[in-house]
Amino acid sequence: SRQLEHAAAALLLAQPDLPGSDDVPAVEWVGPLRLLWTTPPTIIDTLPQAANIFDAKPSAGDSIHKVNGQLADGLTRREVLEGLKSGTGIQLRSTGVRGQFRAAAGLLLAEPGPGAQADWLGPVKLGWQTKPPWVMHAKPEANKHFRQPLSQGDQLAAVDGTPTTNLDRRGVLKLLLGPGPSLSFRPPRDDARESAADALNRTDKPASEWVGKFRLLWSKPPTVLEMKDGASAGYQRPVSVGDVVVAVDGTPVMTASREEVLKLMVQGYGKLSLTSNFDGKLRAGAALALDAPPSDPEWVGPFQFRWTAPPCLADVKPEAQSHFPKPLERGDVLNSVDGCTWQTGDRDEVLRRLANYDCRLSFASSGGFDHSLRAAARAALDQPDAEADQLGPMTVKWTDPPTVLWIDEPAQRHFKRRVTKGDRLVGANGQSLKTLSRRQILELLSQFDGQMQIAPADCPVM
């Protein structure tokens, strides 16, 4: 107890009053106890020596019940510290899982930054990607505190009677600081129509949410990220992560917005038509990676990326190869997603692009012909207009379309037939070069993905 007396006295001397905040209670160490200044104060962490002060070792979530025989509920920080300073006694009380939630919420609110996609609050891990937040994992000891065992996908619907439907992470954490004992969990509505109606009433537009038995990413088309047990019932094949919703009750939704999909589900039976494809697997992989702690290398759908600048392939699954004009190899770099390129290795930015991937993904060789062509095109963009430019292993004259004036002999192996002087450069990256300006062509070649079409000099160009 001497440690608490000395610590309280030192705090009263050094900082009698903490800066006031109506937003989040302060957090500070008082001897071996780290306290969250709720009413009553809550222990959020302890040092080992705390076990020598009390009959039972304090735990995160315990609260200060009495100081000098007086109830701590309603006392100010100064009054609590004055009581601890006098050394006449302190009594703790365990508040169970509710106290653990409060302690974890206080710690999380004290941390700077926007916060994580998921957090442990005592024995329960909550995901913040949806509103209300949902249970990602519950330790066995959590279930003794609730009437019904918690299951993955259950939603924290209310705290002390206040609904969480339209609250963000910070809003929910602030509710959890309250003194009340009530945490209301509910399973997500399995009925697609009812859950779709709930989703339409939300004031925000989440990137993903539970609708019926599926957690959907609101890409176009929507993509399945997770599912509850029995979600495949009524479908001809098992539903899997990455499947895409192509229709609702027979109405196509390939380009539909979140609201349009939900309205169709409310108006009809809510029956989803699902299919499996490469695009969905990639989007789902990216969205789930955003929910997970970063790793390097990291699997995103069929690709394993190293977060270099730009990102490069550490590995690739065989089923991805058929979607590209030439085989992908380890070390190839991610050149563009739906026309967007970058030179940074910002993991989250790349994953967000991939989670909203539409139809075009290009990789580029890390060296050789592709690399030298891209580098030369970027360099030429900074030069004044010229009649001809050397682009790495070849020189082209800016006719319409461009004419090959010279090509380095080793570069011939990249073409199905031998390229000769006078041949026409008619396409690159799957796009025709006819009528394009020098600058437009150079911008396209600066993103060169390995696709180049060259026509013989005597072949008519349409």
Side-chain angles (χ1 to χ4, degrees), residues 38-89:
T38 50
T39 304
T42 302
I43 296 173
I44 59 176
D45 199 3
T46 65
L47 296 176
Q49 51 265 42
N52 302 324
I53 301 176
F54 303 95
D55 294 336
K57 182 181 178 182
S59 301
D62 291 351
S63 64
I64 296 180
H65 180 48
K66 291 183 178 180
V67 179
N68 299 341
Q70 184 179 1
L71 288 174
D73 194 356
L75 296 182
T76 65
R77 169 184 175 272
R78 179 190 286 267
E79 290 169 333
V80 172
L81 291 176
E82 290 284 2
L84 294 176
K85 176 184 173 183
S86 68
T88 53

Side-chain angles (χ1 to χ4, degrees), residues 145-173:
H145 299 282
F146 302 99
R147 292 181 180 179
Q148 297 292 332
L150 296 180
S151 301
Q152 185 183 37
D154 285 354
Q155 300 169 336
L156 177 58
V159 177
D160 300 332
T162 301
T164 60
T165 302
N166 291 316
L167 296 179
D168 60 10
R169 173 183 180 270
R170 185 176 182 83
V172 175
L173 291 176

